[in-house]
Amino acid sequence: MQRQLPFFFLLTLTTALGLNSCQNRSISEENKSNLPGEGVTVTPTYVSLEERFQTEVVNIGLEKLGYKIGKMRELEPALMHTDLAEGGLDYTAAHWQQLGRKFYENSGGDQKLEKVGVIVDNAVQGYLIDRATAQKYEITNLEQLQDPEIAKIFDTDGDGKANLVGCNAGWGCETIINHHLEAYDLNATVEHESGKYFALMADVMARYRQDKPILYYTWTPLWTSSVLVPGQDVQWLEVPYTSLPKTSTSSANLDTTYQGKNLGFVTDKIMILANETFAQSHPSAIALMEQVQIPIADVSAQNQRLREGEDSASDIRRHAQTWVKEHEERFQQWLDNAQSKSGEAETGRQGKPMMIND
């Protein structure tokens, strides 16, 4: 005969399970509402599509802390810094410490902006020419372009001057390139082509495929050095001596050498920059931003995927999600550390540890 459980026992068990279920649901709901970013929308900004990847990595962390990400804005450097300072934007993961110094100071500096952390270190800039031309004419230094015969090798429009593909008008690198041309007495023989950089680089790539001489400026991290590999396809040019505009860099660090060559540009740091009011109001967000670091090789590799066609917003978001998954343990530690800051200013409450897969 099948043994029957007493009715009182069944009633007690059912009631206990129901209470436990309600309690768990209550705890879950409470934990969800205890996230430090609950109810806060964050608006990020960047300069070029190639910087959206590192921005998305930060966004993923902010979302785990409860923040909602507003529409990201792609802006020119001067406007980006101004809008950040005025509070129309909250943060960027694309501030170059030295290259963007003028934009930072002109937007109010430390009074309105806060340098939070270095997200990409050892960013390099400089001038390159194709290796075949470098070897044929023994060109190693930008100063050699003072010679009209050498400069003419890189003439692409028939005016007798070398055509140097530079960077967009209004960018910090434009100022430095123009300064170099004057400081090294190159204005008479070299023309700085300043326009839409990636359109200009498409022409550089086409000339290279046709075995024609090329002369261009670039920076890292960027896909250009994956396609035209320094030391293999192209060669860095040295400058005769270091000369930089006073507004472009601080005098505290003028190390412009890379792999034993003086490239003329300070080895830079790409930083996360936040609006000062936002930074003071959201310590958990700032604590996360202080920690996020992405190897320069990872950014360059992602940029190459952009060039190969994976350049939609959803593509870049997927790239960032994959990077986070591949660095799960480190990312989780960043979240835990940031979560420990909750309550200092934004909510006054203790939140639960957020897991990457939540």
Side-chain angles (χ1 to χ4, degrees):
M1 182 177 68
Q2 190 174 21
R3 182 174 295 177
Q4 299 291 323
L5 291 173
F7 173 76
F8 176 77
F9 176 79
L10 289 173
L11 179 62
T12 302
L13 179 62
T14 302
T15 302
L17 289 173
L19 287 173
N20 187 58
S21 175
C22 291
Q23 184 181 33
N24 286 339
R25 183 167 58 253
S26 176
I27 290 172
S28 176
E29 291 170 355
E30 181 183 356
N31 283 337
K32 183 176 180 180
S33 66
N34 276 342
L35 295 175
E38 182 76 14
V40 178
T41 299
V42 179
T43 305
T45 180
Y46 55 90
V47 174
S48 69
L49 191 65
E50 287 70 23
E51 295 161 336
R52 185 167 176 135
F53 166 67
Q54 64 228 44
T55 307
E56 285 284 26
V57 170
V58 178
N59 287 347
I60 291 170
L62 291 173
E63 288 169 342
K64 296 299 180 184
L65 294 172
Y67 293 92
K68 180 181 178 181
I69 304 302
K71 183 178 180 180
M72 289 190 280
R73 297 185 62 192
E74 183 176 323
L75 299 171
E76 290 298 311
L79 182 57
M80 179 183 78
H81 285 80
T82 299
D83 280 6
L84 269 174
E86 296 304 318
L89 303 166
D90 295 310
Y91 89 92
T92 180
H95 169 71
W96 288 60
Q97 183 181 37
Q98 299 292 349
L99 198 62
R101 182 168 174 260
K102 179 181 70 173
F103 303 125
Y104 180 81
E105 293 179 347
N106 289 349
S107 300
D110 295 343
Q111 298 299 314
K112 292 190 173 184
L113 298 165
E114 182 165 328
K115 295 177 181 178
V116 181
V118 176
I119 191 167
V120 181
D121 205 355
N122 296 316
V124 175
Q125 307 166 74
Y127 307 105
L128 299 104
I129 63 173
D130 61 288
R131 200 156 177 250
T133 301
Q135 292 177 341
K136 181 177 180 180
Y137 296 98
E138 299 182 344
I139 303 171
T140 60
N141 198 296
L142 190 68
E143 189 178 35
Q144 290 175 256
L145 295 177
Q146 290 177 356
D147 182 345
E149 293 303 313
I150 296 294
K152 193 181 300 183
I153 296 169
F154 303 99
D155 178 16
T156 63
D157 58 11
D159 66 356
K161 288 187 175 184
N163 291 89
L164 166 63
V165 169
C167 63
N168 292 26
W171 288 15
C173 45
E174 180 199 27
T175 301
I176 297 180
I177 293 171
N178 289 339
H179 174 85
H180 282 168
L181 295 184
E182 182 175 353
Y184 306 140
D185 196 22
L186 293 169
N187 279 322
T189 55
V190 179
E191 179 183 354
H192 177 195
E193 291 192 1
S194 181
K196 292 295 184 181
Y197 179 79
F198 296 107
L200 293 173
M201 283 304 298
D203 292 337
V204 169
M205 300 292 178
R207 287 182 60 82
Y208 181 80
R209 288 192 295 268
Q210 297 166 8
D211 296 323
K212 295 180 179 179
I214 57 174
L215 168 65
Y216 65 99
Y217 156 89
T218 199
W219 68 91
T220 64
L222 192 64
W223 55 262
T224 51
S225 294
S226 298
V227 179
L228 295 174
V229 181
Q232 178 178 316
D233 306 310
V234 291
Q235 176 176 302
W236 291 105
L237 291 181
E238 290 196 80
V239 295
Y241 54 87
T242 299
S243 180
L244 293 165
K246 292 181 179 179
T247 57
S248 71
T249 184
S250 67
S251 59
N253 180 11
L254 290 178
D255 182 11
T256 57
T257 59
Y258 174 69
Q259 296 180 345
K261 292 185 174 183
N262 185 353
L263 301 186
F265 294 82
V266 175
T267 300
D268 219 331
K269 301 176 185 294
I270 303 176
M271 304 191 70
I272 297 179
L273 186 68
N275 170 271
E276 178 65 20
T277 301
F278 175 85
Q280 294 300 320
S281 303
H282 300 285
S284 291
I286 297 304
L288 172 71
M289 294 175 185
E290 287 173 342
Q291 301 173 84
V292 179
Q293 292 186 338
I294 306 175
I296 196 167
D298 291 0
V299 180
S300 292
Q302 189 276 337
N303 283 185
Q304 176 62 18
R305 295 175 72 179
L306 289 183
R307 183 177 180 274
E308 292 169 352
E310 296 181 31
D311 58 359
S312 69
S314 58
D315 285 332
I316 298 170
R317 176 71 177 193
R318 187 181 71 255
H319 299 163
Q321 290 170 333
T322 300
W323 190 91
V324 169
K325 186 65 176 176
E326 291 173 349
H327 300 83
E328 186 170 353
E329 184 176 348
R330 187 193 318 169
F331 200 86
Q332 184 63 55
Q333 186 62 56
W334 295 341
L335 290 175
D336 293 343
N337 293 341
Q339 183 75 357
S340 70
K341 295 290 184 179
S342 66
E344 290 189 6
E346 55 226 314
T347 62
R349 299 173 298 178
Q350 291 297 318
K352 70 168 185 175
M354 280 304 301
M355 304 304 292
I356 290 177
N357 294 322
D358 283 359

